[in-house]
Amino acid sequence: MGDAKIKWTKIDEAPALASYSLLPILKAYTKGTGIDIETSDISLTGRILALFPERLKEEQQVPDYLAQLGELTKQADANIVKLPNISASIPQLQAAIKELQAQGYDVPDYPEEPQNDAEKALKARFAKVLGSAVNPVLREGNADRRAAVSVKRNAQKNPHKMMKDWPASGSKTRVGHMTERDFYGSEKSATVERDCTARIEYIAADGRNTVLKEGLPLLTGEVIDASVMNVAALRKFYAEQIDIAKSEGLLLSLHLKATMMKVSDPIMFGHCVSVFYAAALDKHADTLNEIGANVNNGLAGVLDKLDKLPADKRAEIEADIAAVYETSPALAMVDSRKGITNLHLPNNVIIDASMPNVVRDGGRMWNKDDELQETLAMVPDRCYATMYQECIENAQKHGQFDPSTMGTVGNVGLMAKKAEEYGSHDKTFTAAGEGFIRVLDETGDILLEQPVETGDIYRMCQSKDEPIRDWVKLAVTRARATGTPAIFWLDENRGHDAELIKKVNAYLPDHDTAGLEIHIMKAVDAMRFTLERIRRGEDTVAVTGNVLRDYLTDLFPILELGTSARMLSIVPLLKGGGLFETGAGGSAPKHVQQFLAEGHLRWDSLGEYCALVPSFEQVVSTTGNGKAAVLAETLDEAIGQYLENKRFPSRKVNEIDNRGCAFYLAMYWAQALAAQDKDAELKARLTGVAEALTLNETKIVAELLAAQGQPVDIGGYYHPDFAKTEKAMRPSTTFNAVIDAM
């Protein structure tokens, strides 16, 4: 029996709370099997603390688990279960720092506007935990993301109830996007012809040269690209959309991803805030600048700074901001009860979760009266805005999608070795003035060059050849395994995609594609093709880049399953190991808020349950551990029972929540292990457990429900107290006694 380690990531918010219930079960059931489940803290606070060992007491210090896991991904025996973590925005970072400081950790403040070299260095240090800091490190493989067969079958048999009809009389909802001078229109791309070391530099109009980044290694065959968002055109676009929404009586909403795109999208968000609230912000520009108000942090980035002002000046500015709403279109709301709009915080509305909800809700978003209303959804850049518009037009023409009959859309995503990490890296800059930003090799040859104007957003990205080859291979593998069409979502009119198309056409002949249906289509056409199949109940594999992978693996699962958290995400690592991701965490903050207020955690851990099956199977393939095979097979049976009996969490307090889900999974899994005959030791060990859990089901459920209905203190949001959280997440003494006795 080969020994193996499964690394379970300690992360943030709702999935972190859920781990307090699930991990004791997993460790108990795998005890004595040669499988060791270890946790690695890659939470936001864990990553912050790892930055400052010299400022912390010895007992407070945290190893750099993220770096350790990054090294592990390059080993053939890697087996990592990765739960969704916070891709921190600046407001989230600041809130986490404040909480740590209150708990006695000597963590410095984040210098939002550094005044000296020391503060600049500190800001650069903090940059390592902002945005999508985790995924580029761990994703040393491409993504195979899909709904497990049992999950999809159950979703069709028991369709979710969240779908709302599109109005039969017609809908005015649409996606507003730019038509020129955006990232899509400006993108230039090239394939590197030889290994070299590059630098990025800004050449001002007067010829002055500023090096923005140097020592950038490029490999032969690597695809590089550079694009620019012209901010003058962006602001003009926002102003036009505001006028259109006002004249047509539509809600105005903005859909970006300021968490993953930690440099570009917060700036784009800030420009929207400044244009929408221009009457107030321009009037008080000098005062707001003096107090450090930052529109890139949303309206909250302004309001939160007003405490620095005298009461009368603060009231004046608040009144002028309130007056904006009298002459502007209504904004989509995040929380109408608290007056939190779509422009309040950049991390409140994340495009991959928000745009599917527009489709799900019949082309509408929530207004200030807590009613659904048609919206003008602003997605400035055309790279993917047009495919959302195609989806909306399809629903306007054919009506709402039917989860009981619609087909499924899996995804093969290019993401290995930080492929296509737009905005999440250190190659995105704001232009200091008019001139050019260019990429040069060490000999001075210009590889890419872009003209820029003051304030323009420049970004460069890389996609190495090895991941691209593997991506094509994985696409063919999935097409063969599913017997369904595989569509490369690539646009020949976009610089980056044009280079990828050359490679796809070159690498496809390396594989047996006989009898397979493989296409290359631009996003609009691919969306149309896929939606036509969905409505016929037919399946499709979307083969996409990294950002589009993010978007589509929320869009289709939210429509099909009601949530993307139920998706199975397997990352076959390039060196032979496996990374098993457990779904999306976009709704996790709301879940935590409800738990703290009502003692009810509605997080659905089905993604974690499903990810464990291939994780155990990976143990089998790397070590030959027969017990792991039995654990995988019986866990799959337990998941089937969990779905069949509808044991997933309710949204309502005093009904089953995540803790009840964990109990039922444990009971069904124990029953399956007790019933199998492939491993006598596991059978003998789990038979008594199955009997105890089955016998005490009513009592355990009652104890779990009794823990709900009142506020819960876990000692922190970003850095909760272990003992308090464990007590809150394991409230059944009867259940605990059975598990702990194992």
Side-chain angles (χ1 to χ4, degrees), residues 234-249:
L234 175 67
R235 293 177 68 88
K236 179 183 177 184
F237 161 76
Y238 285 143
E240 291 171 346
Q241 300 305 302
I242 290 169
D243 289 343
I244 292 171
K246 178 67 174 178
S247 65
E248 297 189 15

Side-chain angles (χ1 to χ4, degrees), residues 271-317:
H271 281 295
C272 187
V273 173
S274 67
V275 171
F276 186 86
Y277 295 99
L281 301 184
D282 291 350
K283 177 181 176 181
H284 301 284
D286 291 342
T287 300
L288 294 174
N289 185 56
E290 289 174 5
I291 62 175
N294 186 354
V295 292
N296 291 0
N297 293 336
L299 181 62
V302 176
L303 298 178
D304 291 349
K305 300 293 185 179
L306 298 185
D307 287 338
K308 298 181 179 181
L309 297 173
D312 58 340
K313 188 62 176 178
R314 172 178 178 172
E316 179 188 351
I317 295 175

